[in-house]
Amino acid sequence: MIQNQGLGFSTQLAIATARARNVFGSKRPQLSLITDFGDGDEAVFAVKSAARFVNPRIEIIDICHNVPAFNVLIGAHRLKRNVALPTEPEGAVYVAVVDPGVGGSRDCIIVKTRTGKYLVGPDNGVLSLAFATEGIHRVVLIENRDLTLLDKAQSKTFHGRDVFAPVAAHILRGVPLREFGSDLDPGTIVKIAISTDSTATSRAGWIVDGDGFGVIRTNVPNHVPRQAIGRLVAFTLNGGQVDITDRARLVETFDDSKPGETVLVLSSTGCLDLAVNRGNALERFGINFDQITLDGLQPRLKVSVRFDN
Amino acid sequence: MIQNQGLGFSTQLAIATARARNVFGSKRPQLSLITDFGDGDEAVFAVKSAARFVNPRIEIIDICHNVPAFNVLIGAHRLKRNVALPTEPEGAVYVAVVDPGVGGSRDCIIVKTRTGKYLVGPDNGVLSLAFATEGIHRVVLIENRDLTLLDKAQSKTFHGRDVFAPVAAHILRGVPLREFGSDLDPGTIVKIAISTDSTATSRAGWIVDGDGFGVIRTNVPNHVPRQAIGRLVAFTLNGGQVDITDRARLVETFDDSKPGETVLVLSSTGCLDLAVNRGNALERFGINFDQITLDGLQPRLKVSVRFDN
Amino acid sequence: MIQNQGLGFSTQLAIATARARNVFGSKRPQLSLITDFGDGDEAVFAVKSAARFVNPRIEIIDICHNVPAFNVLIGAHRLKRNVALPTEPEGAVYVAVVDPGVGGSRDCIIVKTRTGKYLVGPDNGVLSLAFATEGIHRVVLIENRDLTLLDKAQSKTFHGRDVFAPVAAHILRGVPLREFGSDLDPGTIVKIAISTDSTATSRAGWIVDGDGFGVIRTNVPNHVPRQAIGRLVAFTLNGGQVDITDRARLVETFDDSKPGETVLVLSSTGCLDLAVNRGNALERFGINFDQITLDGLQPRLKVSVRFDN
């Protein structure tokens, strides 16, 4: 139904768009924000106020604020997914505030990615899935108090407002990274240990998130054998108290399954989602967000899929 | 307390405002977005990222994202209410993503209204209450893949991001409608069958929405006999498992009733709301959002009010 | 870890920032909005649409919309906290819509603070904690219907949309306060009666809010004896059905306590928070938002802390 016109129109559009950006000069520097403050929590306003104070020209965009409290895995995964969108611009700055150790000894860092984006947050792993995907260009330790708003603060417990937001806003003003502090060896910063396995007939990976529809998100890439699509495949979930073996239909869209059917969807995220057509997979398999978490630096719940059953 | 000054001040203001728009040139093209992704869901970010990629000048405004999942009736009603606000500007573009059939065979369409607004979404009825109110000027089938971002996508299940948002952003760049695809006969697109009846002593219509305060929204216009205002009137709700006959006080504001009293309010929406003063009408009458839905193309719950009891 | 550079860099930055504001001229007039409409409620869109209609140049910023319905105390406290942020700009306008008496006889007012900010809302106390902190410069009764959108409205129950938003947007257009109506004696407007007591060994105040983490917020300033920090202190909560005596560790950050421990934190709000390290204090002490409310013009729940036990 939706077809290529074969006219090179998209190239023309790209040129026209680039021209529009220059002529109108109206693209504002972009700060995107993810936190675990909870939906609608007013603390988000304070973070944005701090950023606008430093740089009133910026546009502040919410990624989401309903990362489960202190859940570094889910925060890291949602940050990564959004930073990695092919539509995200070079030069964009991302602030992640999922920070159980705030006020303690963990560092505050800036990571510039190979893709020209900036990640600002605590050195606790929450930035790590994003920089694993984007590549690390440089890591800087935030040391220069003059580029924070700590001197305005009445407490030590709100680095989102007093450190990360003002630092991000200064980056968007063009302040060079060296002004913020000294370089860190990329090998020394905290990374979530996440990997996937792939054979001709199987995939293995981790449960990394869930959503409000009850979809369970994995980090297993959705490149699967063509002949398996449309068929029932076996999967297992295990870790912590969870030990499940079941079958799901491997589908490209929900329309290829029946209401109530368990499905593994080739998701818009680029990975496999475990879901129930018009139902709730989190409920069906008794999984809650407290289980989609880290044990040390490794996710708790492992997922594997076999295509040869 | 708030009175007209009789100075024609509002006319002067209108002129001054129009002038300000031209002088400052600072009004950004406006894309308003309604989805059933759930409050705070990060998928909203991906939709906005896609729109900004195509047109970085736009201002993106949230209508709401808590339309109950797949609930085309409630999505259609909330879209209509907001598109119909007398303060909404000509040329504004609205994207509605309530789309249980995404990836399946339903069409993607653009409706230009007689009021000069643009509605973009699936052809499943979700746009239909808005274009019924605003009038249809033209309907275009989205066919030109070059004006979408489908080629960047890794799945078929996210038309909000890959089709509707980029199409809306292109409209706001001034791309003519003919570039998107061929015209459709307005008679052939999907429409929710919603109507109201009115006699001297009664009104009948449908339950079309509820809100977080527990207010039940109807599509019955709030033009009622003056002498009925302030009095108790009889009403019925029925459809599905619901069959209720009760009485409510017909009031202009909550202050005209007692706490705990069931009221029919001449609502700010232009229609009658069924509510409980400082209470929850959804709970009182045992109605949940799953019942405020379509059976085929007709709402499930009928409401009628009599003024002559 | 984060240190002063001793270079006067922040002064240079302040100058550079001020210059940037002038050169780019891109700071948009700022309207910040707090309501009890509920997270994601589409009525927020109507309020914003009304404001943009009057003044399309403004930037509209959400404070929060999840003030518990009709809870004037919590609305007033959250407004105050955010207006009082040291990063909030002079000239900013704040609209508060927590308004159980809408459509009734309470007045609509504008308060200009001594700090050059504008508060717009009902005269029911919801603005009063903010103007108590910021100081009152002037109070104006909203009387001029031409500066509202009441003539476009189909009901009397939506002053957020029809009065407060358009009035705020007109203020941001530079309309002088005298155009809106007559001056009111600041002594005559409604004020929440909130006070704190302090002795060498104790503090007393009120419970004024809670958050999504289950933190209980007090209005007791976090200036406490240094020697008490790190120690267990006795506290009481009482009022309504609540009568609790317990102990908590007085800490600067959560890291100074153990998981599960009850703490009084020197909070980023400038006041003491009662919390549970990685737990939920609202649940532990059986307090819900319905109890964090006003009885008349006084908060219901009193808190006191002793440092000498």
Side-chain angles (χ1 to χ4, degrees):
Chain A
M1 173 197 54
I2 299 180
Q3 303 171 319
N4 284 303
Q5 302 281 330
L7 296 173
F9 197 51
S10 65
T11 310
Q12 295 172 38
L13 283 175
I15 294 167
T17 303
R19 196 172 291 151
R21 292 187 203 213
N22 293 330
V23 172
F24 296 111
S26 56
K27 178 139 183 51
R28 296 158 74 190
Q30 190 170 308
L31 190 168
S32 297
L33 182 61
I34 183 169
T35 77
D36 64 354
F37 295 172
D39 275 332
D41 192 277
E42 31 135 25
V44 173
F45 182 85
V47 174
K48 294 177 177 177
S49 180
R52 283 199 183 87
F53 175 78
V54 168
N55 186 345
R57 293 187 63 234
I58 58 175
E59 178 131 30
I60 304 176
I61 306 168
D62 297 303
I63 297 175
C64 72
H65 300 291
N66 63 358
V67 174
F70 312 131
N71 195 317
V72 171
L73 173 62
I74 290 178
H77 176 254
R78 293 189 187 173
L79 177 65
K80 182 215 82 166
R81 275 183 60 182
N82 288 293
V83 172
L85 288 169
T87 49
E88 282 293 286
E90 204 181 317
V93 176
Y94 304 84
V95 171
V97 191
V98 182
D99 196 10
V102 64
S105 60
R106 61 99 192 89
D107 285 330
C108 298
I109 59 174
I110 305 165
V111 178
K112 182 171 182 186
T113 70
R114 291 209 188 122
T115 53
K117 297 162 184 170
Y118 298 83
L119 313 172
V120 181
D123 180 19
N124 65 3
V126 73
L127 308 180
S128 70
L129 299 185
F131 64 63
T133 304
E134 305 286 310
I136 299 181
H137 173 74
R138 186 176 175 185
V139 183
V140 170
L141 179 66
I142 300 173
E143 296 174 299
N144 182 354
R145 196 175 174 94
D146 292 334
L147 292 171
T148 72
L149 294 170
L150 286 168
D151 290 337
K152 284 184 181 285
Q154 294 166 298
S155 80
K156 296 184 180 177
T157 57
F158 201 171
H159 279 182
R161 178 190 69 186
D162 300 329
V163 177
F164 303 131
V167 162
H170 279 302
I171 293 171
L172 288 165
R173 288 180 62 246
V175 173
L177 288 190
R178 65 174 178 276
E179 300 284 352
F180 294 94
S182 49
D183 277 55
L184 287 179
D185 176 350
T188 66
I189 60 176
V190 176
K191 295 170 194 76
I192 294 173
I194 200 168
S195 61
T196 57
D197 270 319
S198 170
T199 72
T201 58
S202 71
R203 299 288 183 277
W206 305 93
I207 303 299
V208 291
D209 200 358
D211 76 8
F213 290 80
V215 170
I216 298 172
R217 299 200 188 286
T218 79
N219 74 328
V220 178
N222 61 14
H223 303 291
V224 296
R226 297 304 303 173
Q227 69 274 18
I229 295 177
R231 288 179 40 209
L232 285 174
V233 298
F235 69 91
T236 63
L237 299 179
N238 67 289
Q241 305 299 312
V242 176
D243 188 3
I244 292 165
T245 300
D246 206 331
R247 287 153 73 98
R249 191 168 300 280
L250 188 68
V251 296
E252 289 190 289
T253 87
F254 280 100
D255 263 22
D256 299 333
S257 63
K258 289 188 280 283
E261 196 169 24
T262 302
V263 290
L264 277 160
V265 188
L266 309 190
S267 159
S268 60
T269 64
C271 293
L272 292 180
D273 284 349
L274 181 63
V276 175
N277 186 338
R278 306 207 182 187
N280 189 310
L282 287 169
E283 286 178 12
R284 174 167 295 179
F285 298 107
I287 291 173
N288 61 49
F289 284 108
D290 289 345
Q291 296 165 305
I292 305 175
T293 189
L294 295 175
D295 285 332
L297 286 171
Q298 194 156 62
R300 179 174 298 169
L301 295 178
K302 201 168 174 59
V303 60
S304 61
V305 184
R306 296 202 63 84
F307 306 120
D308 56 354
N309 51 301
Chain B
M1 173 197 53
I2 298 181
Q3 303 171 321
N4 284 303
Q5 302 281 330
L7 296 172
F9 197 51
S10 65
T11 310
Q12 295 172 38
L13 282 175
I15 295 167
T17 303
R19 196 172 291 153
R21 291 186 203 214
N22 293 330
V23 172
F24 296 111
S26 57
K27 179 140 182 51
R28 295 157 75 190
Q30 191 170 307
L31 190 167
S32 297
L33 181 61
I34 183 169
T35 77
D36 65 353
F37 295 172
D39 275 332
D41 192 278
E42 31 134 25
V44 173
F45 182 85
V47 174
K48 294 177 177 177
S49 180
R52 283 199 183 88
F53 175 79
V54 168
N55 186 344
R57 293 187 63 234
I58 58 176
E59 178 131 30
I60 303 176
I61 306 169
D62 297 302
I63 296 174
C64 72
H65 300 291
N66 63 358
V67 174
F70 312 130
N71 195 317
V72 171
L73 173 62
I74 290 178
H77 176 254
R78 293 188 187 173
L79 177 65
K80 182 215 83 166
R81 276 183 60 181
N82 287 293
V83 172
L85 289 169
T87 49
E88 282 293 287
E90 204 181 317
V93 176
Y94 304 84
V95 171
V97 191
V98 182
D99 196 9
V102 64
S105 60
R106 62 98 192 90
D107 285 331
C108 298
I109 59 173
I110 305 165
V111 178
K112 183 172 182 185
T113 70
R114 291 209 188 121
T115 53
K117 297 163 184 168
Y118 298 83
L119 313 172
V120 181
D123 181 19
N124 65 3
V126 72
L127 308 180
S128 70
L129 299 184
F131 64 63
T133 303
E134 305 286 311
I136 299 181
H137 173 74
R138 186 176 176 185
V139 183
V140 171
L141 179 66
I142 300 172
E143 296 174 298
N144 182 355
R145 196 177 175 93
D146 292 334
L147 293 170
T148 72
L149 294 171
L150 286 167
D151 289 337
K152 284 183 180 286
Q154 293 167 298
S155 80
K156 296 185 180 176
T157 56
F158 201 172
H159 278 183
R161 179 190 68 186
D162 300 329
V163 177
F164 304 132
V167 162
H170 279 303
I171 293 171
L172 288 166
R173 288 180 62 246
V175 174
L177 289 191
R178 66 174 177 277
E179 300 284 351
F180 294 94
S182 49
D183 277 55
L184 287 179
D185 176 350
T188 65
I189 60 176
V190 176
K191 295 171 194 74
I192 294 174
I194 200 167
S195 61
T196 57
D197 270 320
S198 170
T199 72
T201 58
S202 71
R203 299 288 183 277
W206 305 93
I207 303 298
V208 291
D209 200 358
D211 76 8
F213 290 81
V215 170
I216 297 172
R217 300 200 187 285
T218 79
N219 74 329
V220 178
N222 61 15
H223 304 291
V224 296
R226 297 303 303 173
Q227 69 275 18
I229 294 177
R231 288 178 40 209
L232 285 175
V233 298
F235 70 91
T236 63
L237 299 180
N238 68 288
Q241 305 299 312
V242 176
D243 188 3
I244 292 166
T245 300
D246 206 331
R247 289 154 72 98
R249 191 168 300 280
L250 188 68
V251 296
E252 289 189 288
T253 86
F254 279 100
D255 263 21
D256 300 333
S257 63
K258 290 188 278 285
E261 196 170 24
T262 301
V263 289
L264 277 160
V265 188
L266 309 190
S267 159
S268 59
T269 63
C271 294
L272 293 180
D273 284 349
L274 181 63
V276 174
N277 186 339
R278 306 206 183 188
N280 189 310
L282 287 169
E283 286 178 12
R284 175 167 295 178
F285 298 108
I287 291 173
N288 61 49
F289 284 108
D290 288 345
Q291 296 165 305
I292 305 174
T293 189
L294 295 174
D295 284 332
L297 285 171
Q298 195 157 61
R300 178 174 298 170
L301 295 177
K302 201 168 173 60
V303 60
S304 61
V305 185
R306 296 202 62 84
F307 306 120
D308 56 354
N309 50 301
Chain C
M1 173 197 54
I2 298 180
Q3 302 171 321
N4 284 303
Q5 301 281 329
L7 296 172
F9 196 51
S10 65
T11 310
Q12 296 172 37
L13 283 175
I15 295 167
T17 303
R19 197 172 291 153
R21 292 188 203 214
N22 294 330
V23 172
F24 296 111
S26 56
K27 178 139 183 52
R28 296 158 74 190
Q30 190 170 307
L31 190 167
S32 297
L33 181 62
I34 183 169
T35 77
D36 65 354
F37 295 172
D39 275 332
D41 192 278
E42 31 135 24
V44 173
F45 182 85
V47 173
K48 294 177 177 178
S49 180
R52 283 199 183 87
F53 175 78
V54 168
N55 186 344
R57 293 187 63 234
I58 58 175
E59 177 131 30
I60 304 176
I61 306 168
D62 297 302
I63 296 175
C64 72
H65 301 291
N66 63 358
V67 174
F70 312 131
N71 195 317
V72 171
L73 173 62
I74 290 178
H77 176 254
R78 293 189 187 173
L79 177 65
K80 182 215 83 167
R81 275 182 61 181
N82 288 293
V83 172
L85 288 169
T87 49
E88 282 293 287
E90 204 181 316
V93 176
Y94 303 84
V95 171
V97 192
V98 182
D99 196 10
V102 64
S105 60
R106 62 99 192 90
D107 285 331
C108 298
I109 59 174
I110 305 166
V111 178
K112 183 172 182 185
T113 70
R114 291 209 187 121
T115 52
K117 297 163 184 169
Y118 298 84
L119 313 172
V120 181
D123 181 19
N124 66 2
V126 72
L127 308 179
S128 70
L129 299 184
F131 64 64
T133 303
E134 305 286 311
I136 299 181
H137 173 74
R138 187 175 176 184
V139 183
V140 170
L141 179 66
I142 299 172
E143 296 173 300
N144 182 353
R145 196 176 174 92
D146 291 335
L147 292 170
T148 72
L149 294 170
L150 285 168
D151 289 338
K152 284 184 180 287
Q154 293 166 298
S155 80
K156 296 184 180 177
T157 56
F158 201 171
H159 278 183
R161 179 191 67 186
D162 300 329
V163 177
F164 303 132
V167 162
H170 279 303
I171 293 171
L172 288 166
R173 288 181 61 246
V175 173
L177 289 191
R178 66 174 177 276
E179 301 284 351
F180 294 94
S182 49
D183 277 55
L184 287 179
D185 176 349
T188 66
I189 59 176
V190 176
K191 294 170 195 75
I192 294 174
I194 200 167
S195 61
T196 57
D197 270 320
S198 170
T199 72
T201 58
S202 71
R203 299 287 183 278
W206 305 94
I207 303 298
V208 291
D209 200 358
D211 76 7
F213 290 81
V215 170
I216 298 172
R217 300 200 187 284
T218 79
N219 74 328
V220 178
N222 61 14
H223 304 291
V224 296
R226 297 304 302 174
Q227 69 274 18
I229 294 177
R231 288 178 40 208
L232 285 174
V233 298
F235 70 91
T236 63
L237 300 179
N238 67 289
Q241 305 299 312
V242 176
D243 188 3
I244 291 166
T245 300
D246 207 331
R247 289 154 72 98
R249 191 168 301 280
L250 188 68
V251 296
E252 289 190 288
T253 87
F254 280 99
D255 263 22
D256 300 333
S257 63
K258 289 188 279 284
E261 197 170 23
T262 301
V263 290
L264 278 160
V265 188
L266 309 190
S267 160
S268 59
T269 64
C271 294
L272 293 180
D273 285 349
L274 181 64
V276 174
N277 186 338
R278 306 207 183 187
N280 189 310
L282 287 168
E283 286 178 12
R284 174 167 295 179
F285 298 108
I287 292 173
N288 61 49
F289 284 109
D290 289 345
Q291 296 166 304
I292 305 175
T293 189
L294 295 174
D295 284 332
L297 285 171
Q298 195 156 62
R300 179 173 298 169
L301 295 177
K302 201 169 173 59
V303 59
S304 61
V305 185
R306 296 202 63 83
F307 305 120
D308 56 354
N309 51 301

